[in-house]
Amino acid sequence: MIVKVTVTLKNGVLDPQGRAIEAALKGLGFDGVAGARVGKLIELEVADGTSRETIENMAKQLLANTVIENFRIEMP
Amino acid sequence: MIVKVTVTLKNGVLDPQGRAIEAALKGLGFDGVAGARVGKLIELEVADGTSRETIENMAKQLLANTVIENFRIEMP
């Protein structure tokens, strides 16, 4: 089964990628861009029956740096 | 308003990040991981009334490499 883990920076954490995108969009002439934040969308193909707890452990141990990032799990 | 643009690799395109995550999860002892694909989730804060077409142009010109990536737009 496919499980989706979305990893995003916590509020208040500087997002250099987002800043770069914001500046580049303005440079391309797109007005009205007030901000951009970039996160990761990780799609895991795991064995059926894998528990949410196991996915949380994967996120805490590897997929997200929980000091500066939040993660959200979408199970099928 | 906040618009979400999800950028993912097209099928068949090698995903080195995904491979690295898959190998690392196995190395941490997580069994049953058959694959991992990594994409980007870009949250744009844009002026109210910005059209979907404008967001599509942003994606085509900057946010996604449409040769190897697909993008999906979620408007509020």
Side-chain angles (χ1 to χ4, degrees):
Chain A
M1 68 181 181
I2 301 284
V3 174
K4 290 184 179 179
V5 180
T6 304
V7 179
T8 51
L9 286 169
K10 291 184 177 178
N11 288 333
V13 175
L14 179 67
D15 181 356
Q17 264 190 312
R19 288 285 173 83
I21 285 175
E22 192 182 336
L25 285 173
K26 283 176 182 159
L28 286 169
F30 291 106
D31 302 326
V33 180
R37 301 277 289 177
V38 181
K40 284 175 290 195
L41 171 65
I42 302 163
E43 294 181 357
L44 296 172
E45 193 177 343
V46 295
D48 291 346
T50 302
S51 70
R52 172 179 282 270
E53 191 189 344
T54 301
I55 307 296
E56 276 181 16
N57 286 332
M58 289 179 184
K60 286 173 187 164
Q61 290 183 40
L62 181 75
L63 305 178
N65 172 353
T66 51
V67 174
I68 60 168
E69 292 174 326
N70 293 318
F71 63 84
R72 186 167 45 89
I73 296 169
E74 292 167 53
M75 307 283 286
Chain B
M1 67 183 180
I2 300 283
V3 174
K4 290 185 180 179
V5 180
T6 304
V7 179
T8 52
L9 286 169
K10 291 183 176 178
N11 288 334
V13 175
L14 178 68
D15 181 357
Q17 266 189 311
R19 288 286 174 84
I21 285 175
E22 193 183 334
L25 287 173
K26 284 177 181 158
L28 286 169
F30 292 105
D31 301 328
V33 179
R37 303 277 290 179
V38 181
K40 284 176 288 194
L41 171 64
I42 302 163
E43 292 181 357
L44 296 172
E45 192 177 344
V46 295
D48 290 346
T50 302
S51 69
R52 172 179 282 269
E53 190 189 346
T54 301
I55 307 296
E56 276 181 18
N57 286 333
M58 290 179 184
K60 285 173 187 164
Q61 290 183 40
L62 181 76
L63 305 177
N65 172 352
T66 52
V67 173
I68 60 168
E69 292 174 327
N70 293 318
F71 63 85
R72 186 166 46 89
I73 296 170
E74 291 168 54
M75 308 282 287

